Amino acid sequence: VEKAEATLNENASLKKENATLQDRINAYEAKDALKDVEMIGDVAFLAVESHETDNAALKNLAFSYRDSLDSGVVLLLSTSNDKLSYFVAVTKDLIAKGIKAGDLVKAVNAVCEGRGGGKPDFAQGGSKCIDKKNAVISEIKKAIEEKVDIINISLGLTSYSQELFDICEKAVEQNIVILAAASHTNTVSFPADFKNVICVKVDQQQTEKVKRVDDTTISIPMKDFIVMENNTEFDFSSSSLACARLCGYFCDELSIM
């Protein structure tokens, strides 16, 4: 019994030593990889490919790379058993600026038919499309660079489009708000009549700056676009202009946050 206990204690000690050694190796690799950091605007971006296959080890490795950066985004890629795995880690200061690991992974999922998600500081996903590594890197860079919050659509279709609906849905999944102008003739129009976008209408009778009509519709007044000339009233307002104005309101609010 004593011999068995001694063996177990020795194994536990070896495991602890191995874990400590692996942490040191990760830290060394992370510091060495700093030479590969790329600046995307004012954001430091580090993309690294690892031969490691253990999920927990890859997560710890992503943290090591992130901790080696004062500020930045880390993308760690690994291919094993015909599967591409991707891990994204983001420093706290960038989270405060709206760059979140979960959102970045969602953007990647859309381009490589992947699945995954996570928290603002760390997220992970996977795809069977192992040839999409370059697409994954490009999408992360694009999402960091553009930092899109709102899409304003002033034109529309009179017939339903599944393709248009799907692309709107993908945008919404990435926490992007879509504003779409309602039809000028009060007929069905897409994407304004999709339930995953905000339909914007003009209501010259309302006194509120912005009024919620229902769960997916907002109206605003555009009285400053009504002009009197020679006792004749000209109304130059439109839902397209209202949509642009509401987009401006939203942008003002986002800049305050």
PDB file of all heavy atoms in Angstrom, residues 150-157 164 168 177-183 189-194 196-202 216-218 239-244 246-247 250:
ATOM      1  N   ILE A 150     -23.572  49.214 -37.378  1.00  0.00           N
ATOM      2  CA  ILE A 150     -24.864  49.494 -38.009  1.00  0.00           C
ATOM      3  C   ILE A 150     -24.737  49.422 -39.530  1.00  0.00           C
ATOM      4  O   ILE A 150     -23.749  49.904 -40.095  1.00  0.00           O
ATOM      5  CB  ILE A 150     -25.391  50.895 -37.624  1.00  0.00           C
ATOM      6  CG1 ILE A 150     -25.483  51.030 -36.102  1.00  0.00           C
ATOM      7  CG2 ILE A 150     -26.754  51.162 -38.249  1.00  0.00           C
ATOM      8  CD1 ILE A 150     -25.790  52.442 -35.648  1.00  0.00           C
ATOM      9  N   ILE A 151     -25.756  48.835 -40.168  1.00  0.00           N
ATOM     10  CA  ILE A 151     -25.862  48.849 -41.631  1.00  0.00           C
ATOM     11  C   ILE A 151     -27.132  49.597 -41.997  1.00  0.00           C
ATOM     12  O   ILE A 151     -28.216  49.293 -41.500  1.00  0.00           O
ATOM     13  CB  ILE A 151     -25.904  47.427 -42.217  1.00  0.00           C
ATOM     14  CG1 ILE A 151     -24.581  46.689 -41.939  1.00  0.00           C
ATOM     15  CG2 ILE A 151     -26.171  47.467 -43.720  1.00  0.00           C
ATOM     16  CD1 ILE A 151     -24.586  45.248 -42.378  1.00  0.00           C
ATOM     17  N   ASN A 152     -27.002  50.590 -42.875  1.00  0.00           N
ATOM     18  CA  ASN A 152     -28.144  51.396 -43.317  1.00  0.00           C
ATOM     19  C   ASN A 152     -28.493  51.024 -44.759  1.00  0.00           C
ATOM     20  O   ASN A 152     -27.670  51.168 -45.657  1.00  0.00           O
ATOM     21  CB  ASN A 152     -27.784  52.884 -43.208  1.00  0.00           C
ATOM     22  CG  ASN A 152     -28.849  53.778 -43.783  1.00  0.00           C
ATOM     23  OD1 ASN A 152     -30.014  53.405 -43.837  1.00  0.00           O
ATOM     24  ND2 ASN A 152     -28.464  54.950 -44.236  1.00  0.00           N
ATOM     25  N   ILE A 153     -29.732  50.547 -44.975  1.00  0.00           N
ATOM     26  CA  ILE A 153     -30.169  50.128 -46.312  1.00  0.00           C
ATOM     27  C   ILE A 153     -31.349  50.987 -46.743  1.00  0.00           C
ATOM     28  O   ILE A 153     -32.420  50.938 -46.141  1.00  0.00           O
ATOM     29  CB  ILE A 153     -30.574  48.637 -46.340  1.00  0.00           C
ATOM     30  CG1 ILE A 153     -29.412  47.760 -45.845  1.00  0.00           C
ATOM     31  CG2 ILE A 153     -30.998  48.218 -47.751  1.00  0.00           C
ATOM     32  CD1 ILE A 153     -29.745  46.292 -45.740  1.00  0.00           C
ATOM     33  N   SER A 154     -31.175  51.779 -47.796  1.00  0.00           N
ATOM     34  CA  SER A 154     -32.245  52.687 -48.229  1.00  0.00           C
ATOM     35  C   SER A 154     -33.063  52.122 -49.382  1.00  0.00           C
ATOM     36  O   SER A 154     -34.166  52.592 -49.654  1.00  0.00           O
ATOM     37  CB  SER A 154     -31.645  54.040 -48.643  1.00  0.00           C
ATOM     38  OG  SER A 154     -30.744  53.873 -49.711  1.00  0.00           O
ATOM     39  N   LEU A 155     -32.513  51.127 -50.078  1.00  0.00           N
ATOM     40  CA  LEU A 155     -33.235  50.516 -51.193  1.00  0.00           C
ATOM     41  C   LEU A 155     -33.782  49.156 -50.787  1.00  0.00           C
ATOM     42  O   LEU A 155     -33.389  48.583 -49.775  1.00  0.00           O
ATOM     43  CB  LEU A 155     -32.306  50.373 -52.401  1.00  0.00           C
ATOM     44  CG  LEU A 155     -31.697  51.673 -52.939  1.00  0.00           C
ATOM     45  CD1 LEU A 155     -30.745  51.363 -54.079  1.00  0.00           C
ATOM     46  CD2 LEU A 155     -32.788  52.628 -53.396  1.00  0.00           C
ATOM     47  N   GLY A 156     -34.680  48.611 -51.608  1.00  0.00           N
ATOM     48  CA  GLY A 156     -35.264  47.321 -51.267  1.00  0.00           C
ATOM     49  C   GLY A 156     -35.841  46.597 -52.467  1.00  0.00           C
ATOM     50  O   GLY A 156     -35.840  47.098 -53.590  1.00  0.00           O
ATOM     51  N   LEU A 157     -36.315  45.384 -52.196  1.00  0.00           N
ATOM     52  CA  LEU A 157     -36.914  44.537 -53.230  1.00  0.00           C
ATOM     53  C   LEU A 157     -38.413  44.400 -52.966  1.00  0.00           C
ATOM     54  O   LEU A 157     -38.866  44.462 -51.830  1.00  0.00           O
ATOM     55  CB  LEU A 157     -36.276  43.143 -53.215  1.00  0.00           C
ATOM     56  CG  LEU A 157     -34.743  43.078 -53.322  1.00  0.00           C
ATOM     57  CD1 LEU A 157     -34.289  41.628 -53.181  1.00  0.00           C
ATOM     58  CD2 LEU A 157     -34.285  43.650 -54.661  1.00  0.00           C
ATOM     59  N   LEU A 164     -31.093  37.319 -49.393  1.00  0.00           N
ATOM     60  CA  LEU A 164     -31.013  38.592 -48.683  1.00  0.00           C
ATOM     61  C   LEU A 164     -31.331  38.401 -47.204  1.00  0.00           C
ATOM     62  O   LEU A 164     -30.673  38.979 -46.337  1.00  0.00           O
ATOM     63  CB  LEU A 164     -31.978  39.602 -49.308  1.00  0.00           C
ATOM     64  CG  LEU A 164     -32.019  40.996 -48.687  1.00  0.00           C
ATOM     65  CD1 LEU A 164     -30.650  41.659 -48.731  1.00  0.00           C
ATOM     66  CD2 LEU A 164     -33.048  41.872 -49.408  1.00  0.00           C
ATOM     67  N   CYS A 168     -28.734  39.034 -43.963  1.00  0.00           N
ATOM     68  CA  CYS A 168     -29.157  39.908 -42.860  1.00  0.00           C
ATOM     69  C   CYS A 168     -29.065  39.164 -41.532  1.00  0.00           C
ATOM     70  O   CYS A 168     -28.627  39.714 -40.521  1.00  0.00           O
ATOM     71  CB  CYS A 168     -30.582  40.403 -43.083  1.00  0.00           C
ATOM     72  SG  CYS A 168     -30.775  41.619 -44.414  1.00  0.00           S
ATOM     73  N   VAL A 177     -26.648  45.939 -36.139  1.00  0.00           N
ATOM     74  CA  VAL A 177     -28.019  46.432 -36.293  1.00  0.00           C
ATOM     75  C   VAL A 177     -28.238  46.830 -37.748  1.00  0.00           C
ATOM     76  O   VAL A 177     -27.429  47.551 -38.328  1.00  0.00           O
ATOM     77  CB  VAL A 177     -28.267  47.646 -35.374  1.00  0.00           C
ATOM     78  CG1 VAL A 177     -29.668  48.213 -35.616  1.00  0.00           C
ATOM     79  CG2 VAL A 177     -28.095  47.246 -33.917  1.00  0.00           C
ATOM     80  N   ILE A 178     -29.343  46.356 -38.339  1.00  0.00           N
ATOM     81  CA  ILE A 178     -29.667  46.709 -39.722  1.00  0.00           C
ATOM     82  C   ILE A 178     -30.903  47.603 -39.735  1.00  0.00           C
ATOM     83  O   ILE A 178     -31.961  47.241 -39.218  1.00  0.00           O
ATOM     84  CB  ILE A 178     -29.938  45.457 -40.579  1.00  0.00           C
ATOM     85  CG1 ILE A 178     -28.707  44.550 -40.590  1.00  0.00           C
ATOM     86  CG2 ILE A 178     -30.313  45.863 -42.005  1.00  0.00           C
ATOM     87  CD1 ILE A 178     -28.903  43.269 -41.365  1.00  0.00           C
ATOM     88  N   LEU A 179     -30.752  48.793 -40.324  1.00  0.00           N
ATOM     89  CA  LEU A 179     -31.864  49.720 -40.517  1.00  0.00           C
ATOM     90  C   LEU A 179     -32.251  49.693 -41.987  1.00  0.00           C
ATOM     91  O   LEU A 179     -31.395  49.821 -42.861  1.00  0.00           O
ATOM     92  CB  LEU A 179     -31.467  51.135 -40.117  1.00  0.00           C
ATOM     93  CG  LEU A 179     -30.913  51.333 -38.707  1.00  0.00           C
ATOM     94  CD1 LEU A 179     -30.535  52.792 -38.494  1.00  0.00           C
ATOM     95  CD2 LEU A 179     -31.914  50.883 -37.660  1.00  0.00           C
ATOM     96  N   ALA A 180     -33.543  49.540 -42.275  1.00  0.00           N
ATOM     97  CA  ALA A 180     -33.998  49.477 -43.664  1.00  0.00           C
ATOM     98  C   ALA A 180     -35.187  50.400 -43.872  1.00  0.00           C
ATOM     99  O   ALA A 180     -36.127  50.424 -43.070  1.00  0.00           O
ATOM    100  CB  ALA A 180     -34.376  48.044 -44.041  1.00  0.00           C
ATOM    101  N   ALA A 181     -35.151  51.175 -44.948  1.00  0.00           N
ATOM    102  CA  ALA A 181     -36.220  52.133 -45.248  1.00  0.00           C
ATOM    103  C   ALA A 181     -37.490  51.413 -45.687  1.00  0.00           C
ATOM    104  O   ALA A 181     -37.444  50.485 -46.498  1.00  0.00           O
ATOM    105  CB  ALA A 181     -35.762  53.089 -46.343  1.00  0.00           C
ATOM    106  N   ALA A 182     -38.618  51.861 -45.147  1.00  0.00           N
ATOM    107  CA  ALA A 182     -39.908  51.285 -45.538  1.00  0.00           C
ATOM    108  C   ALA A 182     -40.277  51.729 -46.955  1.00  0.00           C
ATOM    109  O   ALA A 182     -39.740  52.707 -47.480  1.00  0.00           O
ATOM    110  CB  ALA A 182     -40.980  51.734 -44.559  1.00  0.00           C
ATOM    111  N   SER A 183     -41.200  51.004 -47.562  1.00  0.00           N
ATOM    112  CA  SER A 183     -41.667  51.360 -48.900  1.00  0.00           C
ATOM    113  C   SER A 183     -42.370  52.709 -48.873  1.00  0.00           C
ATOM    114  O   SER A 183     -43.130  53.021 -47.958  1.00  0.00           O
ATOM    115  CB  SER A 183     -42.624  50.287 -49.414  1.00  0.00           C
ATOM    116  OG  SER A 183     -43.303  50.727 -50.557  1.00  0.00           O
ATOM    117  N   SER A 189     -41.966  45.508 -48.710  1.00  0.00           N
ATOM    118  CA  SER A 189     -40.634  45.746 -49.263  1.00  0.00           C
ATOM    119  C   SER A 189     -39.593  45.016 -48.415  1.00  0.00           C
ATOM    120  O   SER A 189     -39.724  44.945 -47.186  1.00  0.00           O
ATOM    121  CB  SER A 189     -40.338  47.251 -49.271  1.00  0.00           C
ATOM    122  OG  SER A 189     -39.023  47.503 -49.730  1.00  0.00           O
ATOM    123  N   PHE A 190     -38.601  44.474 -49.083  1.00  0.00           N
ATOM    124  CA  PHE A 190     -37.552  43.738 -48.374  1.00  0.00           C
ATOM    125  C   PHE A 190     -36.183  44.385 -48.620  1.00  0.00           C
ATOM    126  O   PHE A 190     -35.926  44.851 -49.731  1.00  0.00           O
ATOM    127  CB  PHE A 190     -37.528  42.278 -48.848  1.00  0.00           C
ATOM    128  CG  PHE A 190     -38.830  41.564 -48.656  1.00  0.00           C
ATOM    129  CD1 PHE A 190     -39.700  41.383 -49.718  1.00  0.00           C
ATOM    130  CD2 PHE A 190     -39.194  41.095 -47.410  1.00  0.00           C
ATOM    131  CE1 PHE A 190     -40.897  40.733 -49.546  1.00  0.00           C
ATOM    132  CE2 PHE A 190     -40.407  40.444 -47.227  1.00  0.00           C
ATOM    133  CZ  PHE A 190     -41.266  40.260 -48.302  1.00  0.00           C
ATOM    134  N   PRO A 191     -35.377  44.536 -47.577  1.00  0.00           N
ATOM    135  CA  PRO A 191     -35.422  43.843 -46.285  1.00  0.00           C
ATOM    136  C   PRO A 191     -36.246  44.528 -45.193  1.00  0.00           C
ATOM    137  O   PRO A 191     -36.293  44.033 -44.077  1.00  0.00           O
ATOM    138  CB  PRO A 191     -33.949  43.823 -45.870  1.00  0.00           C
ATOM    139  CG  PRO A 191     -33.410  45.099 -46.401  1.00  0.00           C
ATOM    140  CD  PRO A 191     -34.094  45.286 -47.735  1.00  0.00           C
ATOM    141  N   ALA A 192     -36.890  45.668 -45.482  1.00  0.00           N
ATOM    142  CA  ALA A 192     -37.612  46.404 -44.435  1.00  0.00           C
ATOM    143  C   ALA A 192     -38.651  45.549 -43.712  1.00  0.00           C
ATOM    144  O   ALA A 192     -38.888  45.727 -42.521  1.00  0.00           O
ATOM    145  CB  ALA A 192     -38.280  47.634 -45.040  1.00  0.00           C
ATOM    146  N   ASP A 193     -39.259  44.592 -44.425  1.00  0.00           N
ATOM    147  CA  ASP A 193     -40.297  43.768 -43.816  1.00  0.00           C
ATOM    148  C   ASP A 193     -39.784  42.455 -43.243  1.00  0.00           C
ATOM    149  O   ASP A 193     -40.581  41.633 -42.787  1.00  0.00           O
ATOM    150  CB  ASP A 193     -41.419  43.507 -44.831  1.00  0.00           C
ATOM    151  CG  ASP A 193     -42.300  44.733 -45.022  1.00  0.00           C
ATOM    152  OD1 ASP A 193     -42.972  45.125 -44.056  1.00  0.00           O
ATOM    153  OD2 ASP A 193     -42.296  45.313 -46.123  1.00  0.00           O
ATOM    154  N   PHE A 194     -38.460  42.247 -43.257  1.00  0.00           N
ATOM    155  CA  PHE A 194     -37.893  41.110 -42.542  1.00  0.00           C
ATOM    156  C   PHE A 194     -38.015  41.366 -41.048  1.00  0.00           C
ATOM    157  O   PHE A 194     -37.928  42.516 -40.596  1.00  0.00           O
ATOM    158  CB  PHE A 194     -36.411  40.907 -42.884  1.00  0.00           C
ATOM    159  CG  PHE A 194     -36.155  40.413 -44.279  1.00  0.00           C
ATOM    160  CD1 PHE A 194     -34.966  40.738 -44.928  1.00  0.00           C
ATOM    161  CD2 PHE A 194     -37.068  39.615 -44.942  1.00  0.00           C
ATOM    162  CE1 PHE A 194     -34.702  40.281 -46.208  1.00  0.00           C
ATOM    163  CE2 PHE A 194     -36.816  39.154 -46.234  1.00  0.00           C
ATOM    164  CZ  PHE A 194     -35.633  39.488 -46.866  1.00  0.00           C
ATOM    165  N   ASN A 196     -35.832  40.462 -38.894  1.00  0.00           N
ATOM    166  CA  ASN A 196     -34.509  40.571 -38.273  1.00  0.00           C
ATOM    167  C   ASN A 196     -33.847  41.922 -38.544  1.00  0.00           C
ATOM    168  O   ASN A 196     -32.658  42.100 -38.282  1.00  0.00           O
ATOM    169  CB  ASN A 196     -33.587  39.434 -38.734  1.00  0.00           C
ATOM    170  CG  ASN A 196     -33.456  39.371 -40.255  1.00  0.00           C
ATOM    171  OD1 ASN A 196     -34.016  40.193 -40.972  1.00  0.00           O
ATOM    172  ND2 ASN A 196     -32.708  38.388 -40.731  1.00  0.00           N
ATOM    173  N   VAL A 197     -34.624  42.881 -39.083  1.00  0.00           N
ATOM    174  CA  VAL A 197     -34.111  44.231 -39.298  1.00  0.00           C
ATOM    175  C   VAL A 197     -35.085  45.240 -38.681  1.00  0.00           C
ATOM    176  O   VAL A 197     -36.209  44.891 -38.328  1.00  0.00           O
ATOM    177  CB  VAL A 197     -33.919  44.542 -40.805  1.00  0.00           C
ATOM    178  CG1 VAL A 197     -33.114  43.460 -41.487  1.00  0.00           C
ATOM    179  CG2 VAL A 197     -35.264  44.714 -41.506  1.00  0.00           C
ATOM    180  N   ILE A 198     -34.645  46.489 -38.565  1.00  0.00           N
ATOM    181  CA  ILE A 198     -35.516  47.560 -38.070  1.00  0.00           C
ATOM    182  C   ILE A 198     -36.039  48.350 -39.265  1.00  0.00           C
ATOM    183  O   ILE A 198     -35.258  48.936 -40.018  1.00  0.00           O
ATOM    184  CB  ILE A 198     -34.762  48.493 -37.120  1.00  0.00           C
ATOM    185  CG1 ILE A 198     -34.308  47.728 -35.880  1.00  0.00           C
ATOM    186  CG2 ILE A 198     -35.645  49.677 -36.714  1.00  0.00           C
ATOM    187  CD1 ILE A 198     -33.473  48.555 -34.916  1.00  0.00           C
ATOM    188  N   CYS A 199     -37.336  48.332 -39.435  1.00  0.00           N
ATOM    189  CA  CYS A 199     -37.993  49.071 -40.511  1.00  0.00           C
ATOM    190  C   CYS A 199     -38.179  50.528 -40.070  1.00  0.00           C
ATOM    191  O   CYS A 199     -38.649  50.792 -38.961  1.00  0.00           O
ATOM    192  CB  CYS A 199     -39.340  48.430 -40.820  1.00  0.00           C
ATOM    193  SG  CYS A 199     -40.333  49.322 -42.030  1.00  0.00           S
ATOM    194  N   VAL A 200     -37.794  51.468 -40.931  1.00  0.00           N
ATOM    195  CA  VAL A 200     -37.869  52.892 -40.586  1.00  0.00           C
ATOM    196  C   VAL A 200     -38.912  53.584 -41.461  1.00  0.00           C
ATOM    197  O   VAL A 200     -38.843  53.532 -42.693  1.00  0.00           O
ATOM    198  CB  VAL A 200     -36.503  53.577 -40.760  1.00  0.00           C
ATOM    199  CG1 VAL A 200     -36.582  55.032 -40.317  1.00  0.00           C
ATOM    200  CG2 VAL A 200     -35.425  52.844 -39.975  1.00  0.00           C
ATOM    201  N   LYS A 201     -39.878  54.252 -40.814  1.00  0.00           N
ATOM    202  CA  LYS A 201     -40.953  54.955 -41.519  1.00  0.00           C
ATOM    203  C   LYS A 201     -40.960  56.442 -41.143  1.00  0.00           C
ATOM    204  O   LYS A 201     -40.358  56.844 -40.147  1.00  0.00           O
ATOM    205  CB  LYS A 201     -42.314  54.348 -41.162  1.00  0.00           C
ATOM    206  CG  LYS A 201     -42.497  52.909 -41.625  1.00  0.00           C
ATOM    207  CD  LYS A 201     -43.899  52.421 -41.293  1.00  0.00           C
ATOM    208  CE  LYS A 201     -44.151  51.034 -41.859  1.00  0.00           C
ATOM    209  NZ  LYS A 201     -45.531  50.568 -41.575  1.00  0.00           N
ATOM    210  N   VAL A 202     -41.667  57.233 -41.943  1.00  0.00           N
ATOM    211  CA  VAL A 202     -41.852  58.657 -41.660  1.00  0.00           C
ATOM    212  C   VAL A 202     -43.253  58.876 -41.107  1.00  0.00           C
ATOM    213  O   VAL A 202     -44.228  58.349 -41.654  1.00  0.00           O
ATOM    214  CB  VAL A 202     -41.677  59.511 -42.934  1.00  0.00           C
ATOM    215  CG1 VAL A 202     -41.977  60.979 -42.642  1.00  0.00           C
ATOM    216  CG2 VAL A 202     -40.263  59.361 -43.480  1.00  0.00           C
ATOM    217  N   THR A 216     -40.414  45.654 -34.561  1.00  0.00           N
ATOM    218  CA  THR A 216     -39.389  45.781 -35.605  1.00  0.00           C
ATOM    219  C   THR A 216     -39.536  47.054 -36.440  1.00  0.00           C
ATOM    220  O   THR A 216     -38.908  47.183 -37.491  1.00  0.00           O
ATOM    221  CB  THR A 216     -39.427  44.561 -36.552  1.00  0.00           C
ATOM    222  OG1 THR A 216     -40.727  44.465 -37.148  1.00  0.00           O
ATOM    223  CG2 THR A 216     -39.100  43.279 -35.811  1.00  0.00           C
ATOM    224  N   THR A 217     -40.358  48.006 -35.969  1.00  0.00           N
ATOM    225  CA  THR A 217     -40.594  49.225 -36.746  1.00  0.00           C
ATOM    226  C   THR A 217     -40.435  50.467 -35.895  1.00  0.00           C
ATOM    227  O   THR A 217     -40.916  50.524 -34.762  1.00  0.00           O
ATOM    228  CB  THR A 217     -42.009  49.219 -37.362  1.00  0.00           C
ATOM    229  OG1 THR A 217     -42.203  48.029 -38.112  1.00  0.00           O
ATOM    230  CG2 THR A 217     -42.197  50.429 -38.279  1.00  0.00           C
ATOM    231  N   ILE A 218     -39.738  51.463 -36.450  1.00  0.00           N
ATOM    232  CA  ILE A 218     -39.540  52.758 -35.781  1.00  0.00           C
ATOM    233  C   ILE A 218     -39.942  53.862 -36.756  1.00  0.00           C
ATOM    234  O   ILE A 218     -39.683  53.776 -37.957  1.00  0.00           O
ATOM    235  CB  ILE A 218     -38.069  52.939 -35.352  1.00  0.00           C
ATOM    236  CG1 ILE A 218     -37.747  52.026 -34.166  1.00  0.00           C
ATOM    237  CG2 ILE A 218     -37.768  54.386 -34.994  1.00  0.00           C
ATOM    238  CD1 ILE A 218     -36.297  52.078 -33.725  1.00  0.00           C
ATOM    239  N   SER A 239     -38.583  57.852 -46.560  1.00  0.00           N
ATOM    240  CA  SER A 239     -38.134  56.867 -45.572  1.00  0.00           C
ATOM    241  C   SER A 239     -36.630  56.618 -45.702  1.00  0.00           C
ATOM    242  O   SER A 239     -35.966  56.274 -44.721  1.00  0.00           O
ATOM    243  CB  SER A 239     -38.909  55.561 -45.731  1.00  0.00           C
ATOM    244  OG  SER A 239     -38.770  55.041 -47.043  1.00  0.00           O
ATOM    245  N   SER A 240     -36.085  56.820 -46.906  1.00  0.00           N
ATOM    246  CA  SER A 240     -34.640  56.645 -47.091  1.00  0.00           C
ATOM    247  C   SER A 240     -33.874  57.696 -46.282  1.00  0.00           C
ATOM    248  O   SER A 240     -32.876  57.388 -45.610  1.00  0.00           O
ATOM    249  CB  SER A 240     -34.270  56.763 -48.570  1.00  0.00           C
ATOM    250  OG  SER A 240     -34.837  55.718 -49.321  1.00  0.00           O
ATOM    251  N   LEU A 241     -34.336  58.941 -46.345  1.00  0.00           N
ATOM    252  CA  LEU A 241     -33.706  59.996 -45.560  1.00  0.00           C
ATOM    253  C   LEU A 241     -33.938  59.782 -44.062  1.00  0.00           C
ATOM    254  O   LEU A 241     -33.049  60.052 -43.243  1.00  0.00           O
ATOM    255  CB  LEU A 241     -34.258  61.360 -45.988  1.00  0.00           C
ATOM    256  CG  LEU A 241     -33.871  61.834 -47.393  1.00  0.00           C
ATOM    257  CD1 LEU A 241     -34.644  63.096 -47.757  1.00  0.00           C
ATOM    258  CD2 LEU A 241     -32.368  62.092 -47.475  1.00  0.00           C
ATOM    259  N   ALA A 242     -35.124  59.290 -43.720  1.00  0.00           N
ATOM    260  CA  ALA A 242     -35.432  59.003 -42.315  1.00  0.00           C
ATOM    261  C   ALA A 242     -34.518  57.904 -41.787  1.00  0.00           C
ATOM    262  O   ALA A 242     -34.051  57.955 -40.645  1.00  0.00           O
ATOM    263  CB  ALA A 242     -36.897  58.593 -42.173  1.00  0.00           C
ATOM    264  N   CYS A 243     -34.261  56.920 -42.625  1.00  0.00           N
ATOM    265  CA  CYS A 243     -33.380  55.811 -42.252  1.00  0.00           C
ATOM    266  C   CYS A 243     -31.967  56.327 -41.980  1.00  0.00           C
ATOM    267  O   CYS A 243     -31.322  55.947 -41.002  1.00  0.00           O
ATOM    268  CB  CYS A 243     -33.376  54.784 -43.377  1.00  0.00           C
ATOM    269  SG  CYS A 243     -32.765  53.161 -42.897  1.00  0.00           S
ATOM    270  N   ALA A 244     -31.495  57.210 -42.851  1.00  0.00           N
ATOM    271  CA  ALA A 244     -30.167  57.793 -42.672  1.00  0.00           C
ATOM    272  C   ALA A 244     -30.106  58.625 -41.391  1.00  0.00           C
ATOM    273  O   ALA A 244     -29.115  58.599 -40.656  1.00  0.00           O
ATOM    274  CB  ALA A 244     -29.809  58.650 -43.876  1.00  0.00           C
ATOM    275  N   LEU A 246     -31.999  58.251 -38.655  1.00  0.00           N
ATOM    276  CA  LEU A 246     -32.028  57.349 -37.499  1.00  0.00           C
ATOM    277  C   LEU A 246     -30.661  56.696 -37.295  1.00  0.00           C
ATOM    278  O   LEU A 246     -30.218  56.511 -36.161  1.00  0.00           O
ATOM    279  CB  LEU A 246     -33.101  56.279 -37.689  1.00  0.00           C
ATOM    280  CG  LEU A 246     -33.289  55.314 -36.508  1.00  0.00           C
ATOM    281  CD1 LEU A 246     -33.728  56.070 -35.256  1.00  0.00           C
ATOM    282  CD2 LEU A 246     -34.301  54.227 -36.850  1.00  0.00           C
ATOM    283  N   CYS A 247     -30.014  56.364 -38.398  1.00  0.00           N
ATOM    284  CA  CYS A 247     -28.667  55.800 -38.322  1.00  0.00           C
ATOM    285  C   CYS A 247     -27.730  56.790 -37.621  1.00  0.00           C
ATOM    286  O   CYS A 247     -26.915  56.399 -36.784  1.00  0.00           O
ATOM    287  CB  CYS A 247     -28.152  55.473 -39.725  1.00  0.00           C
ATOM    288  SG  CYS A 247     -26.539  54.666 -39.762  1.00  0.00           S
ATOM    289  N   PHE A 250     -28.382  56.723 -33.891  1.00  0.00           N
ATOM    290  CA  PHE A 250     -27.774  55.545 -33.291  1.00  0.00           C
ATOM    291  C   PHE A 250     -26.269  55.710 -33.133  1.00  0.00           C
ATOM    292  O   PHE A 250     -25.684  55.359 -32.118  1.00  0.00           O
ATOM    293  CB  PHE A 250     -28.075  54.300 -34.139  1.00  0.00           C
ATOM    294  CG  PHE A 250     -29.422  53.685 -33.890  1.00  0.00           C
ATOM    295  CD1 PHE A 250     -30.419  54.390 -33.249  1.00  0.00           C
ATOM    296  CD2 PHE A 250     -29.719  52.398 -34.312  1.00  0.00           C
ATOM    297  CE1 PHE A 250     -31.664  53.853 -33.025  1.00  0.00           C
ATOM    298  CE2 PHE A 250     -30.951  51.837 -34.100  1.00  0.00           C
ATOM    299  CZ  PHE A 250     -31.944  52.555 -33.454  1.00  0.00           C
TER     300      PHE A 250
END
